[in-house]
PDB file of all heavy atoms in Angstrom:
ATOM      1  N   PRO A 165      18.013 -16.050   2.509  1.00 83.00           N
ATOM      2  CA  PRO A 165      18.342 -17.160   1.555  1.00 83.00           C
ATOM      3  C   PRO A 165      18.739 -16.628   0.176  1.00 83.00           C
ATOM      4  O   PRO A 165      19.638 -17.183  -0.443  1.00 83.00           O
ATOM      5  CB  PRO A 165      17.005 -17.936   1.485  1.00 83.00           C
ATOM      6  CG  PRO A 165      16.282 -17.607   2.752  1.00 83.00           C
ATOM      7  CD  PRO A 165      16.632 -16.207   3.048  1.00 83.00           C
ATOM      8  N   LYS A 166      18.133 -15.556  -0.258  1.00 85.00           N
ATOM      9  CA  LYS A 166      18.451 -15.005  -1.593  1.00 85.00           C
ATOM     10  C   LYS A 166      19.813 -14.378  -1.589  1.00 85.00           C
ATOM     11  O   LYS A 166      20.567 -14.506  -2.586  1.00 85.00           O
ATOM     12  CB  LYS A 166      17.380 -13.971  -1.995  1.00 85.00           C
ATOM     13  CG  LYS A 166      15.961 -14.574  -2.096  1.00 85.00           C
ATOM     14  CD  LYS A 166      14.955 -13.487  -2.420  1.00 85.00           C
ATOM     15  CE  LYS A 166      13.535 -14.074  -2.489  1.00 85.00           C
ATOM     16  NZ  LYS A 166      13.038 -14.507  -1.189  1.00 85.00           N
ATOM     17  N   MET A 167      20.177 -13.717  -0.491  1.00 89.00           N
ATOM     18  CA  MET A 167      21.519 -13.130  -0.360  1.00 89.00           C
ATOM     19  C   MET A 167      22.599 -14.225  -0.409  1.00 89.00           C
ATOM     20  O   MET A 167      23.649 -14.046  -1.008  1.00 89.00           O
ATOM     21  CB  MET A 167      21.635 -12.325   0.942  1.00 89.00           C
ATOM     22  CG  MET A 167      21.020 -10.944   0.911  1.00 89.00           C
ATOM     23  SD  MET A 167      21.447  -9.941   2.354  1.00 89.00           S
ATOM     24  CE  MET A 167      20.304 -10.551   3.560  1.00 89.00           C
ATOM     25  N   LYS A 168      22.317 -15.326   0.229  1.00 89.00           N
ATOM     26  CA  LYS A 168      23.301 -16.424   0.285  1.00 89.00           C
ATOM     27  C   LYS A 168      23.451 -17.160  -1.063  1.00 89.00           C
ATOM     28  O   LYS A 168      24.545 -17.455  -1.480  1.00 89.00           O
ATOM     29  CB  LYS A 168      22.891 -17.434   1.367  1.00 89.00           C
ATOM     30  CG  LYS A 168      23.036 -16.917   2.800  1.00 89.00           C
ATOM     31  CD  LYS A 168      22.663 -17.989   3.795  1.00 89.00           C
ATOM     32  CE  LYS A 168      22.904 -17.484   5.236  1.00 89.00           C
ATOM     33  NZ  LYS A 168      22.537 -18.516   6.222  1.00 89.00           N
ATOM     34  N   GLU A 169      22.318 -17.396  -1.745  1.00 89.00           N
ATOM     35  CA  GLU A 169      22.341 -18.228  -2.956  1.00 89.00           C
ATOM     36  C   GLU A 169      22.599 -17.374  -4.231  1.00 89.00           C
ATOM     37  O   GLU A 169      23.162 -17.855  -5.197  1.00 89.00           O
ATOM     38  CB  GLU A 169      21.019 -18.972  -3.098  1.00 89.00           C
ATOM     39  CG  GLU A 169      21.050 -20.027  -4.205  1.00 89.00           C
ATOM     40  CD  GLU A 169      19.826 -20.897  -4.162  1.00 89.00           C
ATOM     41  OE1 GLU A 169      19.005 -20.823  -3.242  1.00 89.00           O
ATOM     42  OE2 GLU A 169      19.671 -21.696  -5.107  1.00 89.00           O
ATOM     43  N   TYR A 170      22.102 -16.136  -4.228  1.00 92.00           N
ATOM     44  CA  TYR A 170      22.221 -15.272  -5.414  1.00 92.00           C
ATOM     45  C   TYR A 170      22.882 -13.985  -5.034  1.00 92.00           C
ATOM     46  O   TYR A 170      22.353 -12.875  -5.221  1.00 92.00           O
ATOM     47  CB  TYR A 170      20.873 -15.008  -6.045  1.00 92.00           C
ATOM     48  CG  TYR A 170      20.034 -16.250  -6.291  1.00 92.00           C
ATOM     49  CD1 TYR A 170      19.046 -16.663  -5.408  1.00 92.00           C
ATOM     50  CD2 TYR A 170      20.256 -16.999  -7.437  1.00 92.00           C
ATOM     51  CE1 TYR A 170      18.300 -17.813  -5.669  1.00 92.00           C
ATOM     52  CE2 TYR A 170      19.506 -18.145  -7.711  1.00 92.00           C
ATOM     53  CZ  TYR A 170      18.508 -18.545  -6.810  1.00 92.00           C
ATOM     54  OH  TYR A 170      17.788 -19.669  -7.057  1.00 92.00           O
ATOM     55  N   THR A 171      24.074 -14.071  -4.500  1.00 93.00           N
ATOM     56  CA  THR A 171      24.716 -12.896  -3.875  1.00 93.00           C
ATOM     57  C   THR A 171      24.932 -11.770  -4.853  1.00 93.00           C
ATOM     58  O   THR A 171      24.566 -10.591  -4.567  1.00 93.00           O
ATOM     59  CB  THR A 171      26.065 -13.317  -3.303  1.00 93.00           C
ATOM     60  OG1 THR A 171      25.896 -14.403  -2.371  1.00 93.00           O
ATOM     61  CG2 THR A 171      26.730 -12.159  -2.549  1.00 93.00           C
ATOM     62  N   LEU A 172      25.530 -12.042  -6.020  1.00 95.00           N
ATOM     63  CA  LEU A 172      25.805 -10.965  -6.978  1.00 95.00           C
ATOM     64  C   LEU A 172      24.537 -10.292  -7.491  1.00 95.00           C
ATOM     65  O   LEU A 172      24.444  -9.051  -7.500  1.00 95.00           O
ATOM     66  CB  LEU A 172      26.608 -11.577  -8.176  1.00 95.00           C
ATOM     67  CG  LEU A 172      26.895 -10.577  -9.301  1.00 95.00           C
ATOM     68  CD1 LEU A 172      27.762  -9.418  -8.767  1.00 95.00           C
ATOM     69  CD2 LEU A 172      27.572 -11.295 -10.479  1.00 95.00           C
ATOM     70  N   THR A 173      23.563 -11.093  -7.828  1.00 94.00           N
ATOM     71  CA  THR A 173      22.304 -10.537  -8.339  1.00 94.00           C
ATOM     72  C   THR A 173      21.558  -9.724  -7.281  1.00 94.00           C
ATOM     73  O   THR A 173      21.036  -8.637  -7.536  1.00 94.00           O
ATOM     74  CB  THR A 173      21.380 -11.666  -8.855  1.00 94.00           C
ATOM     75  OG1 THR A 173      22.058 -12.395  -9.892  1.00 94.00           O
ATOM     76  CG2 THR A 173      20.088 -11.081  -9.448  1.00 94.00           C
ATOM     77  N   THR A 174      21.524 -10.264  -6.070  1.00 94.00           N
ATOM     78  CA  THR A 174      20.827  -9.577  -4.967  1.00 94.00           C
ATOM     79  C   THR A 174      21.409  -8.196  -4.700  1.00 94.00           C
ATOM     80  O   THR A 174      20.708  -7.214  -4.666  1.00 94.00           O
ATOM     81  CB  THR A 174      20.886 -10.458  -3.676  1.00 94.00           C
ATOM     82  OG1 THR A 174      20.204 -11.686  -3.919  1.00 94.00           O
ATOM     83  CG2 THR A 174      20.186  -9.723  -2.552  1.00 94.00           C
ATOM     84  N   PHE A 175      22.717  -8.156  -4.516  1.00 95.00           N
ATOM     85  CA  PHE A 175      23.321  -6.882  -4.150  1.00 95.00           C
ATOM     86  C   PHE A 175      23.466  -5.913  -5.321  1.00 95.00           C
ATOM     87  O   PHE A 175      23.488  -4.713  -5.178  1.00 95.00           O
ATOM     88  CB  PHE A 175      24.684  -7.132  -3.450  1.00 95.00           C
ATOM     89  CG  PHE A 175      24.556  -7.680  -2.076  1.00 95.00           C
ATOM     90  CD1 PHE A 175      24.787  -8.974  -1.774  1.00 95.00           C
ATOM     91  CD2 PHE A 175      24.082  -6.829  -1.033  1.00 95.00           C
ATOM     92  CE1 PHE A 175      24.653  -9.498  -0.497  1.00 95.00           C
ATOM     93  CE2 PHE A 175      23.945  -7.322   0.257  1.00 95.00           C
ATOM     94  CZ  PHE A 175      24.195  -8.653   0.520  1.00 95.00           C
ATOM     95  N   SER A 176      23.544  -6.480  -6.560  1.00 95.00           N
ATOM     96  CA  SER A 176      23.525  -5.614  -7.715  1.00 95.00           C
ATOM     97  C   SER A 176      22.190  -4.921  -7.866  1.00 95.00           C
ATOM     98  O   SER A 176      22.117  -3.696  -8.180  1.00 95.00           O
ATOM     99  CB  SER A 176      23.811  -6.424  -9.000  1.00 95.00           C
ATOM    100  OG  SER A 176      25.098  -6.962  -8.955  1.00 95.00           O
ATOM    101  N   GLN A 211      23.929 -15.253 -15.950  1.00 92.00           N
ATOM    102  CA  GLN A 211      24.217 -16.272 -14.934  1.00 92.00           C
ATOM    103  C   GLN A 211      23.251 -17.473 -15.051  1.00 92.00           C
ATOM    104  O   GLN A 211      23.281 -18.401 -14.238  1.00 92.00           O
ATOM    105  CB  GLN A 211      24.104 -15.653 -13.560  1.00 92.00           C
ATOM    106  CG  GLN A 211      25.090 -14.506 -13.269  1.00 92.00           C
ATOM    107  CD  GLN A 211      24.955 -14.006 -11.860  1.00 92.00           C
ATOM    108  OE1 GLN A 211      25.347 -14.653 -10.900  1.00 92.00           O
ATOM    109  NE2 GLN A 211      24.389 -12.811 -11.726  1.00 92.00           N
ATOM    110  N   GLU A 213      19.989 -17.506 -14.501  1.00 91.00           N
ATOM    111  CA  GLU A 213      19.011 -17.548 -13.459  1.00 91.00           C
ATOM    112  C   GLU A 213      17.556 -17.282 -13.910  1.00 91.00           C
ATOM    113  O   GLU A 213      16.647 -17.204 -13.099  1.00 91.00           O
ATOM    114  CB  GLU A 213      19.373 -16.480 -12.388  1.00 91.00           C
ATOM    115  CG  GLU A 213      20.685 -16.756 -11.741  1.00 91.00           C
ATOM    116  CD  GLU A 213      21.139 -15.653 -10.762  1.00 91.00           C
ATOM    117  OE1 GLU A 213      20.366 -14.707 -10.575  1.00 91.00           O
ATOM    118  OE2 GLU A 213      22.233 -15.723 -10.203  1.00 91.00           O
ATOM    119  N   PRO A 340      13.923 -13.284 -11.397  1.00 89.00           N
ATOM    120  CA  PRO A 340      14.589 -14.306 -10.572  1.00 89.00           C
ATOM    121  C   PRO A 340      14.623 -13.967  -9.091  1.00 89.00           C
ATOM    122  O   PRO A 340      14.481 -12.792  -8.721  1.00 89.00           O
ATOM    123  CB  PRO A 340      16.003 -14.397 -11.159  1.00 89.00           C
ATOM    124  CG  PRO A 340      16.262 -13.084 -11.760  1.00 89.00           C
ATOM    125  CD  PRO A 340      14.924 -12.599 -12.245  1.00 89.00           C
ATOM    126  N   PRO A 341      14.824 -14.945  -8.232  1.00 88.00           N
ATOM    127  CA  PRO A 341      14.799 -14.722  -6.750  1.00 88.00           C
ATOM    128  C   PRO A 341      15.803 -13.679  -6.283  1.00 88.00           C
ATOM    129  O   PRO A 341      15.523 -12.887  -5.392  1.00 88.00           O
ATOM    130  CB  PRO A 341      15.147 -16.124  -6.188  1.00 88.00           C
ATOM    131  CG  PRO A 341      14.734 -17.083  -7.244  1.00 88.00           C
ATOM    132  CD  PRO A 341      14.981 -16.382  -8.556  1.00 88.00           C
ATOM    133  N   GLY A 342      17.001 -13.677  -6.918  1.00 92.00           N
ATOM    134  CA  GLY A 342      17.986 -12.703  -6.485  1.00 92.00           C
ATOM    135  C   GLY A 342      17.577 -11.276  -6.701  1.00 92.00           C
ATOM    136  O   GLY A 342      17.826 -10.388  -5.886  1.00 92.00           O
ATOM    137  N   VAL A 343      16.875 -11.021  -7.820  1.00 91.00           N
ATOM    138  CA  VAL A 343      16.369  -9.649  -8.070  1.00 91.00           C
ATOM    139  C   VAL A 343      15.291  -9.289  -7.072  1.00 91.00           C
ATOM    140  O   VAL A 343      15.280  -8.166  -6.546  1.00 91.00           O
ATOM    141  CB  VAL A 343      15.803  -9.583  -9.528  1.00 91.00           C
ATOM    142  CG1 VAL A 343      15.105  -8.245  -9.759  1.00 91.00           C
ATOM    143  CG2 VAL A 343      16.914  -9.820 -10.551  1.00 91.00           C
TER     144      VAL A 343
END
Side-chain angles (χ1 to χ4, degrees):
K166 300 178 181 68
M167 281 191 278
K168 290 181 176 179
E169 190 171 353
Y170 308 98
T171 305
L172 177 60
T173 302
T174 298
F175 287 106
S176 295
Q211 299 181 72
E213 297 175 3
V343 173

